């Protein structure tokens, strides 16, 4: 009998309206440290810092909570940026071959542009129009140079331009060959020439203008006196090669800051002895007999000091040094003895150790939030108080877990947990894993080595892991009980509790053998980590309660925690286990290995046999595709009828936007890998009695459901296999979610018992939503009958990579919300479905399909937001909800300051902005200001030697 399929007549307008009120895709803010920074500037009047990158991004930072981004339309390297001080404008220069240096005069009406050919051009601001016949060419300068200094050699490119600190209109011009010229812009004459003989790198004025300092390629610097009436100066007042007499690298930049004590502070980058320390990235600080060489782990991009800029003051009195490195930002307190480092409130390097996993928590209870914040110095944030506190936990290759405040635009580091001190590792036994180099309580003199140069390790970026087995693979945190589970690369599963006091104790260790003495398999991978047998010190914060060691010690692939039942489940490539951490007993160990899982097991099959097997499978797939792709014979009338019937049958079984899913071979390698785990209180044995259950999904499409007996007293937890499901297509199971009688996901542990969420419907039948890489399917419980499914496929072999249930609220109705299933595919697009009917709602392009690491790193929030890595050091935040959007909004506030009186940067303009409360500058008005996102608007004007753009904020600030 022929089957006919009736198509729906268009979309429901009312439903389309509701969808618009619920769903909207926006990429909101970027969190983390800018990838590949290339330029730095600071406005002491507005107390803002700007960083330019090689991708054309410009990021603005003020007080904590004040940060936003402008992105140039074209991908171009930002080589230089300058604030038009006090004008809420930024001048950006993009990489060009002819331009070497820019000087923006304090009057902000003239821009001096130095070039490779030695010429200097002058542009009027803000129009960036070239002044006719005003350029200073190299020939004009050469006419004033003594004959014996010329020697037929060119002066080289313009290396430095510096405005006179006391006499506006006079600039210092430094040429590569070593010549320095004091030039009067009004008279267009050279007042004085300084005939240097060493290749010049940089110049800096002394505050009074009576002298300046030059740095050179030989690793030295010189102090020159400026005196009227002296046309030529042949020798500096003094010269020094700090790390000589051996050949040294160039001093790339030097700063000279005066103090009331009379001893200037000299700061410079580079200058290291070539043979011994030529590969070091250093900034040196000298004052009188104090001498420290800051040793960084990444290249120095630029640096500046926070100091007094009011010309009425006689001294600079620097309070802080800010160093922008290729991988982090470091702040040094120059007011405290020893010049310790200070953790900045933002720009902490996410990738201080490579990120291996992440976990998001929304609506964090005050108890957990307060205990986490006690562990660190929390800066005063000028942004409005968020409606709820959010945490992002990142696991790292070095065995650390870092807690970040992501409640608003700024991403603030709160707390770092190290798991290395639980084990004996390959680290230096003298290393303290809890010794944070950015901790201001550390004694800086104790860190200084007795050697010359006097190096001091500064910064926290460390791309190398001392023991790769420490790497964190999975994280699970119960925000109500403050129980944390972290699982690592060597099969270690650590259960931790939160404490506000220091503790010295020995951690109990239990082992769970997932192979259960299964014959024919031998583990040939890394050894397990050796736990410490003696008491170890644990600082306030999360402290280990018990370590569960999976055997073989393979990387943990899934973990879940149910703190109300005191149970933790974990999975590896060999199987999964269940552990009662209250009674310290193993409840269950299930091996999921297939006999041919040689790659997971490192078993008896050799690599040659595995390779042959892989080749055979590849050729089988090729032959199968060729057979299915053969041309059909010339159709006859009979065959046409058969084809029509077959087409109708296909339409009945597979929707037009879907394709058939070919079943996978049961012999595929790594089929036993446990991909997901889930606890649920539901109906498994029968439809009248519900109870605790554990669900596990594997790489081969197998789902195991265990009924658990969790006694309330001293009895032991028991687990009995209740159901075993094998998906027909054998695609890896990505997610398992049990739905209550209303089709809603079950609440988290403690939510229902503490009346923090609506109690689940336990009267109507439950169901389970199983998401594999290739389809979504809902089964009824307890009979496990298929209710509905959706085969999520695309023309290029779309596969599900990430799945989560989210709650999206309506922008039109305060009390209306829907639960949706969001899927991220290997093509980088997002699909949202109604739950439990699995009706497609919307689709968005989110991540480039080539960005494999970005897709793999994506994590969703409960309220419809998400994060993914756009570089090793940056998260892109996005929103799927039309109502919940984290974006920078602005308003005006009164003067605020840092609440910590002991903070060495109390007077720092960088960290105590009083003009901003969030990322956009707005004029002070009497009526409530209009909230608006930031706008960076450059005029379209390109100079012949490159691109120079003035960025301005909208609306402007009225000073």
């Amino acid at each position: 009998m022929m089957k006919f399929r009736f198509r729906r007549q268009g979309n429901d307008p009312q439903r389309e309206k509701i969808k618009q009120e619920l769903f909207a895709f926006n990429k909101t803010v970027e969190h983390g440290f800018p990838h590949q920074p290339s330029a730095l500037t600071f406005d002491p009047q507005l107390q803002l810092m700007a960083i330019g990158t090689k991708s054309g991004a410009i990021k603005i930072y003020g007080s904590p909570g004040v940060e936003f981004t402008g992105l140039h339309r074209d991908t171009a390297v930002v080589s230089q940026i300058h604030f038009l001080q006090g004008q809420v404008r930024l001048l950006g220069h993009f990489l060009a071959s002819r331009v070497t240096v820019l000087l923006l005069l304090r009057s902000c009406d003239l821009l001096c542009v130095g070039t490779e050919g030695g010429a200097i051009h002058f542009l009027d601001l803000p129009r960036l129009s070239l002044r006719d016949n005003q350029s200073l060419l190299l020939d004009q300068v050469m006419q004033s140079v003594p004959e014996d200094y010329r020697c037929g050699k060119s002066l080289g490119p313009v290396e430095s331009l510096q405005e006179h600190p006391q006499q506006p209109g006079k600039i210092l011009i430094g040429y590569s060959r070593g010549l320095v010229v004091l030039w009067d812009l009004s008279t267009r004459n050279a007042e004085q020439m300084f005939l240097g003989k060493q290749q010049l790198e940089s110049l800096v004025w002394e505050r009074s203008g009576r002298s300046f300092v030059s740095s050179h390629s030989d690793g030295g610097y010189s102090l020159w006196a400026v005196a009227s009436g002296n046309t030529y100066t042949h020798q500096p007042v003094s010269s020094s090669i700090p790390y000589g007499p051996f050949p040294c690298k160039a001093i790339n930049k030097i700063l000279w800051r005066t103090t009331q004590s009379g001893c200037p502070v000299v700061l410079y980058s580079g200058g290291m002895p070539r043979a011994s320390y030529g590969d070091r990235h250093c900034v040196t600080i000298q004052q009188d007999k104090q001498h420290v060489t800051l040793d960084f782990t990444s290249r120095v991009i630029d640096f500046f000091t926070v100091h007094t800029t009011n010309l009425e003051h006689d001294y600079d009195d620097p309070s802080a040094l800010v160093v922008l490195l290729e991988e982090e930002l470091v702040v040094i307190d120059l007011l405290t003895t020893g010049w310790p480092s200070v953790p900045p409130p933002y720009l902490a390097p996410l990738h201080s150790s490579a990120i291996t996993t992440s976990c998001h928590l929304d609506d964090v209870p005050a108890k957990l939030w307060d205990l986490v914040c006690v562990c660190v110095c929390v800066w005063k944030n000028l942004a409005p108080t968020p409606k709820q506190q959010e945490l992002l936990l990142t696991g790292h290759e070095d065995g650390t877990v870092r807690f970040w405040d992501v409640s608003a635009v700024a991403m603030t580091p709160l707390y770092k947990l190290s798991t290395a001190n639980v084990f004996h590792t390959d680290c230096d036994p003298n290393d303290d894993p809890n010794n944070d180099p950015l901790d201001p309580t550390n004694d800086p003199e104790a860190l200084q080595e007795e050697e010359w140069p006097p190096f001091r390790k500064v910064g926290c970026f460390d791309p190398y892991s001392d023991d790769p087995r420490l790497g964190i693979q999975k994280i699970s945190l119960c925000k109500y009980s403050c129980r944390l589970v972290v699982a690592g690369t060597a099969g270690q599963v650590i259960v931790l509790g939160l404490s506000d006091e220091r503790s010295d104790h020995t951690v109990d260790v239990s082992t769970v053998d997932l192979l259960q003495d299964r014959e024919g398999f031998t583990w040939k991978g890394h050894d397990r980590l050796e736990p410490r047998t003696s008491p170890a010190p644990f600082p306030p914060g999360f402290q280990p309660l018990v370590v569960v060691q999976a055997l073989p010690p393979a990387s943990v692939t899934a973990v879940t925690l149910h703190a109300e039942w005191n149970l933790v489940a974990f999975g590896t490539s060999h199987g999964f286990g269940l552990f009662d951490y209250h009674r310290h007993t193993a409840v269950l160990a299930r091996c999921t290995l297939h006999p041919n899982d040689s790659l997971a097991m490192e078993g008896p099959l050799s690599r040659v046999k595995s390779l042959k097997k892989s080749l055979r499978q590849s050729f089988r797939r090729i032959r199968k595709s060729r057979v299915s792709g053969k041309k059909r014979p010339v159709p006859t009338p009979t065959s046409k009828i058969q084809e029509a019937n077959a087409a109708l049958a296909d339409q009945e079984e597979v929707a037009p936007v879907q394709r058939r899913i070919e079943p996978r071979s049961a012999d595929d390698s790594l089929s036993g890998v446990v991909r997901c785990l889930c606890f649920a209180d539901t109906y498994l044995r029968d439809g009248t009695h519900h109870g605790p259950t554990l669900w596990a999904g594997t790489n081969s499409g197998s789902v195991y459901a265990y009924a658990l007996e969790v006694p309330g007293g001293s009895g032991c937890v028991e687990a009995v296999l209740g159901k075993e499901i094998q998906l027909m297509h054998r695609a890896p199971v990505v997610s398992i979610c049990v739905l209550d009688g209303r089709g809603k996901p079950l609440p988290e542990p403690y939510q229902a018992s503490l009346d923090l969420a609506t109690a689940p419907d336990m009267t109507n039948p439950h169901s389970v939503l199983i998401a594999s890489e290739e389809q979504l399917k809902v089964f009824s419980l307890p009979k496990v009958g298929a209710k509905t499914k959706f085969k999520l496929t695309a023309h290029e072999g779309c596969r599900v990579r990430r799945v989560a249930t989210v709650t999206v609220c309506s922008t039109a109705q305060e009390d209306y919300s829907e639960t949706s299933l969001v899927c991220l595919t290997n093509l980088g697009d997002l699909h949202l479905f109604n739950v439990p009917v699995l009706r497609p709602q919307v689709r968005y392009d989110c991540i480039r399909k080539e960005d494999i690491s970005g897709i793999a790193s994506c994590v969703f929030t409960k309220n419809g937001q998400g994060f993914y890595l756009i570089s090793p050091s940056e998260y892109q935040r996005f929103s799927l909800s039309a109502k919940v959007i984290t974006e920078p909004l602005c308003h005006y506030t009164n003067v605020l300051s840092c609440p910590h009186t002991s903070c060495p940067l109390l007077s720092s303009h960088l960290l105590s902005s009083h003009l901003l409360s969030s990322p956009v500058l707005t004029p002070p008005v009497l009526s409530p200001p209009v909230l608006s996102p930031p706008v960076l608007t450059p005029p379209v004007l390109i100079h012949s030697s490159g691109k120079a753009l003035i960025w301005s904020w909208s609306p402007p600030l009225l000073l």
Side-chain angles (χ1 to χ4, degrees):
M1 184 177 66
M2 296 178 60
K3 296 181 180 180
F4 294 93
R5 184 174 184 266
F6 297 96
R7 299 179 181 273
R8 294 182 179 177
Q9 299 297 323
N11 296 325
D12 181 5
Q14 183 63 26
R15 180 58 193 171
E16 292 301 314
K17 182 184 180 205
I18 293 176
K19 284 161 59 173
Q20 292 178 2
E21 295 168 353
L22 289 171
F23 307 109
F25 178 74
N26 292 284
K27 290 186 178 181
T28 53
V29 296
E30 295 177 1
H31 295 302
F33 184 80
H35 184 52
Q36 294 183 328
S38 56
L40 174 70
T41 189
F42 175 59
D43 186 339
Q45 293 186 31
L46 295 182
Q47 304 146 18
L48 293 174
M49 178 180 67
I51 296 176
T53 71
K54 291 183 178 180
S55 62
I58 296 180
K59 296 177 179 282
I60 313 296
Y61 303 90
S63 291
V66 181
E67 57 183 83
F68 57 103
T69 300
L71 186 63
H72 194 259
R73 287 186 293 268
D74 302 324
T75 300
V77 177
V78 181
S79 58
Q80 298 182 54
I81 47 178
H82 302 271
F83 276 109
L84 279 69
Q85 293 191 12
Q87 294 192 18
V88 203
R89 291 182 176 183
L90 188 71
L91 176 72
H93 175 258
F94 297 88
L95 186 63
S97 58
R98 292 182 56 192
V99 175
T100 56
V101 63
L102 299 178
L103 170 64
L104 178 63
L105 298 189
R106 287 191 299 274
S107 59
C108 296
D109 59 356
L110 185 65
L111 176 67
C112 308
V113 181
T115 66
E116 288 182 348
I120 300 173
H121 304 283
F122 302 96
L123 283 71
D124 286 316
L125 299 180
R127 296 177 56 85
L128 286 173
S129 57
L130 182 65
R131 286 190 177 182
D132 296 334
N133 302 321
Q134 295 290 314
S135 297
L136 176 59
L137 303 180
L138 194 59
D139 293 342
Q140 296 174 256
V141 177
M142 290 295 288
Q143 292 175 2
S144 303
V145 175
E147 187 66 31
D148 59 345
Y149 189 82
R150 298 181 191 176
C151 301
K153 297 180 181 179
S154 171
L155 297 181
V158 179
E159 290 291 343
S160 183
L161 294 171
Q162 299 291 330
E163 185 179 12
H164 198 292
Q166 303 294 334
Q167 301 177 33
K170 293 184 179 181
I171 62 174
L172 208 59
I173 306 170
Y175 295 92
S176 177
R177 182 179 160 189
L179 175 68
V180 180
V181 179
L182 180 59
W183 185 264
D184 192 327
L185 294 174
S186 58
T187 62
R188 292 184 53 79
N189 286 320
E191 283 198 358
Q192 191 172 353
M193 290 192 171
F194 306 86
L195 309 179
K197 297 179 181 179
Q198 290 291 339
Q199 181 175 327
L200 183 71
E201 296 291 332
S202 70
L203 296 171
V204 63
W205 280 102
E206 183 267 333
R207 186 180 183 87
S208 67
R210 293 189 291 268
S211 62
F212 69 88
V213 180
S214 61
S215 69
H216 302 277
S217 62
D218 63 346
Y221 63 87
S222 301
L223 177 66
W224 301 80
V226 178
S228 58
N230 189 3
T231 306
Y232 301 112
T233 301
H234 294 269
Q235 296 294 333
V237 175
S238 63
S239 294
S240 173
I241 302 180
Y243 302 116
F246 311 104
C248 297
K249 299 192 72 174
I251 292 181
N252 304 308
K253 179 178 179 178
I254 189 167
L255 297 179
W256 185 282
R257 299 293 182 241
T258 58
T259 64
Q260 296 186 29
S261 65
C263 296
V265 180
V266 185
L267 312 98
Y268 53 88
S269 60
M272 291 293 103
R274 288 184 178 274
S276 303
Y277 306 108
D279 58 343
R280 298 286 186 100
H281 310 291
C282 300
V283 171
T284 298
I285 310 175
Q286 292 179 238
Q287 184 182 26
D288 198 12
K289 295 182 180 180
Q290 298 183 73
H291 189 143
V292 171
T293 305
L294 305 177
D295 188 9
F296 305 105
T297 55
S298 60
R299 185 169 59 92
V300 177
I301 304 299
D302 202 353
F303 60 94
F304 64 85
T305 58
V306 179
H307 61 275
T308 303
T309 57
N310 191 333
L311 296 179
E312 295 179 359
H313 291 77
D314 297 330
Y315 304 100
D316 295 308
D317 289 330
S319 59
L321 166 67
V322 180
V323 185
L324 175 65
L325 305 165
E326 195 169 35
E327 305 293 351
E328 61 183 318
L329 183 82
V330 174
V331 180
I332 303 297
D333 175 18
L334 298 178
L335 298 179
T336 302
T337 303
W339 301 322
S341 58
V342 179
Y346 38 59
L347 286 172
L350 296 173
H351 62 317
S352 54
S353 176
I355 296 176
T356 51
T357 187
S358 59
C359 171
H360 179 271
L361 278 82
D362 65 339
D363 202 11
V364 178
K367 175 186 175 182
L368 172 60
W369 186 264
D370 294 341
L371 285 174
V372 169
C373 291
V374 162
C375 300
V376 294
C377 173
V378 180
W379 296 86
K380 177 69 175 180
N381 195 313
L382 299 188
T385 303
K387 295 181 180 179
Q388 64 175 14
Q389 306 291 355
E390 298 182 43
L391 282 175
L392 182 68
L393 280 62
T394 55
H396 297 264
E397 195 177 53
D398 63 353
T400 60
V401 177
R402 297 172 189 264
F403 289 62
W404 308 87
D405 177 8
V406 291
S407 309
V409 173
M411 184 176 188
T412 308
L414 295 178
Y415 168 64
K416 184 182 78 169
L417 164 70
S418 176
T419 62
N421 55 345
V422 180
F423 307 97
H424 291 290
T425 67
D426 296 337
C427 309
D428 185 342
N430 295 323
D431 289 345
D432 182 3
N434 294 299
N435 184 19
D436 192 339
L438 289 183
D439 186 354
T441 61
N442 292 335
D443 182 6
E445 294 184 358
L447 301 176
Q448 186 170 340
E449 303 176 15
E450 295 182 0
E451 60 176 333
W452 185 260
F455 288 116
R456 182 201 299 168
K457 288 287 186 182
V458 181
C460 61
F461 175 73
D462 183 7
Y464 306 106
S465 175
D466 294 313
D467 193 331
R469 297 175 297 173
L470 289 170
I472 305 298
Q473 297 300 322
K474 297 295 175 181
I475 302 172
S476 182
L477 173 60
C478 176
K479 58 188 178 183
Y480 303 110
S481 64
C482 300
R483 287 291 184 266
L484 172 66
V485 174
V486 295
T489 304
Q492 71 272 27
V493 180
I494 309 174
V495 183
L496 305 101
L498 190 59
S499 173
D500 56 359
E501 297 181 356
R502 175 189 171 94
S503 174
D504 292 72
H505 64 272
T506 303
V507 182
D508 291 338
V509 179
S510 298
T511 59
V512 177
D513 184 4
L514 297 179
L515 294 184
Q516 295 293 290
D517 300 324
R518 191 167 180 175
E519 297 181 357
F521 295 103
T522 304
W523 173 250
K524 297 181 180 179
H526 49 246
D527 294 331
R528 57 180 285 187
L529 286 165
E530 181 185 351
R532 294 183 184 271
T533 55
S534 58
F538 299 102
F542 281 98
Q543 299 171 351
L545 304 176
V546 62
V547 174
V548 184
Q549 179 64 56
L551 296 177
S555 178
V556 176
T557 57
V559 72
T560 187
L561 167 70
H562 201 296
E564 205 165 0
W565 301 338
N566 297 317
L567 295 176
V568 58
F570 56 91
T572 70
S573 57
H574 306 120
F576 58 92
L578 179 63
F579 187 81
D580 182 347
Y581 61 82
H582 178 68
R583 300 172 179 83
H584 289 203
T585 57
V587 178
L588 169 68
R590 173 65 185 257
C591 181
T592 57
L593 285 171
H594 189 273
N596 293 330
D597 276 347
S598 56
L599 291 182
M601 296 304 305
E602 295 291 341
L605 293 179
S606 66
R607 294 184 181 270
V608 176
K609 291 183 179 179
S610 299
L611 178 59
K612 289 181 179 179
K613 174 187 171 185
S614 181
L615 290 173
R616 282 196 302 269
Q617 291 175 347
S618 300
F619 282 119
R620 287 171 184 168
R621 294 191 185 101
I622 293 173
R623 285 197 298 270
K624 187 173 183 179
S625 64
R626 286 177 178 173
V627 171
S628 61
K630 286 182 179 180
K631 294 182 179 180
R632 297 183 180 180
V634 178
T636 63
T638 304
S639 65
K640 286 184 178 180
I641 295 174
Q642 292 174 349
E643 288 178 9
N645 291 338
L648 288 173
D650 287 346
Q651 288 184 1
E652 173 67 18
E653 297 175 3
V654 183
V657 296
Q658 299 173 347
R659 63 172 172 85
R660 291 186 182 276
I661 300 176
E662 298 293 341
R664 303 188 183 191
S665 171
D667 295 338
D668 285 349
S669 298
L670 299 176
S671 61
V673 175
V674 177
R675 295 286 295 271
C676 58
L677 293 162
C678 170
F679 284 113
D681 184 357
T682 188
Y683 299 92
L684 186 62
R685 294 175 175 174
D686 55 60
T688 57
H689 301 88
H690 64 87
T693 61
L694 170 66
W695 300 72
T698 71
N699 229 22
S700 61
S702 298
V703 177
Y704 304 91
Y706 280 81
L708 307 178
E709 292 291 341
V710 181
S714 59
C716 296
V717 179
E718 296 181 0
V720 178
L721 180 63
K723 305 290 181 183
E724 185 171 344
I725 307 169
Q726 178 62 60
L727 301 183
M728 293 286 292
H729 48 72
R730 296 186 179 275
V733 179
V734 178
S735 172
I736 301 174
C737 177
V738 176
L739 309 176
D740 69 2
R742 293 185 296 265
K744 303 292 184 182
L746 297 179
E748 299 176 25
Y750 286 109
Q751 276 191 327
S753 60
L754 297 177
D755 295 328
L756 299 173
T758 303
D761 183 355
M762 307 301 289
T763 58
N764 294 309
H766 286 195
S767 56
V768 58
L769 170 58
I770 299 177
S772 73
E773 283 191 356
E774 294 177 343
Q775 72 173 0
L776 314 172
K777 203 165 187 177
V778 176
F779 296 90
S780 62
L781 292 177
K783 293 185 178 181
V784 192
K787 295 178 64 176
T788 182
K789 65 180 177 181
F790 188 91
K791 299 178 181 179
L792 181 60
T793 56
H795 297 295
E796 299 181 11
C798 169
R799 293 184 180 179
V800 177
R801 288 291 181 255
R802 289 286 184 271
V803 176
T805 54
V806 299
T807 300
V808 288
C809 299
S810 172
T811 57
Q813 305 176 52
E814 288 293 332
D815 58 346
Y816 183 76
S817 64
E818 288 187 4
T819 300
S820 298
L821 183 75
V822 56
C823 298
L824 173 68
T825 74
N826 63 327
L827 301 182
D829 51 0
L830 295 166
H831 299 258
L832 279 89
F833 302 87
N834 272 0
V835 175
V837 295
L838 298 182
R839 184 179 296 113
Q841 297 300 300
V842 289
R843 175 196 170 277
Y844 302 112
D845 292 326
C846 181
I847 311 173
R848 293 181 301 106
K849 64 180 181 180
E850 299 83 8
D851 188 2
I852 298 175
S853 61
I855 294 173
S857 64
C858 185
V859 59
F860 296 104
T861 72
K862 298 287 187 183
N863 58 10
Q865 298 188 82
F867 302 81
Y868 68 91
L869 288 172
I870 54 176
S871 74
S873 60
E874 293 174 292
Y875 273 108
Q876 173 68 62
R877 189 169 189 157
F878 63 90
S879 175
L880 300 167
S881 170
K883 185 173 183 179
V884 181
I885 302 176
T886 301
E887 61 180 353
L889 299 174
C890 61
H891 64 83
Y892 181 80
T893 61
N894 295 325
V895 176
L896 294 175
S897 60
C898 177
H900 304 285
T901 56
S902 61
C903 173
L905 295 183
L906 177 62
S907 60
S908 167
H909 299 282
L910 172 67
L911 302 177
S912 59
S913 169
H914 64 274
L915 293 177
L916 296 176
S917 63
S918 59
V920 182
L921 304 180
T922 58
V925 290
L926 297 178
S927 59
V930 178
L931 298 181
S932 60
V935 179
L936 283 173
T937 54
V940 180
L941 189 135
I942 302 177
H943 187 253
S944 60
S945 61
K947 296 181 180 179
L949 302 178
I950 296 181
W951 296 74
S952 61
W953 287 264
S954 176
L957 175 68
L958 302 180
L959 295 177

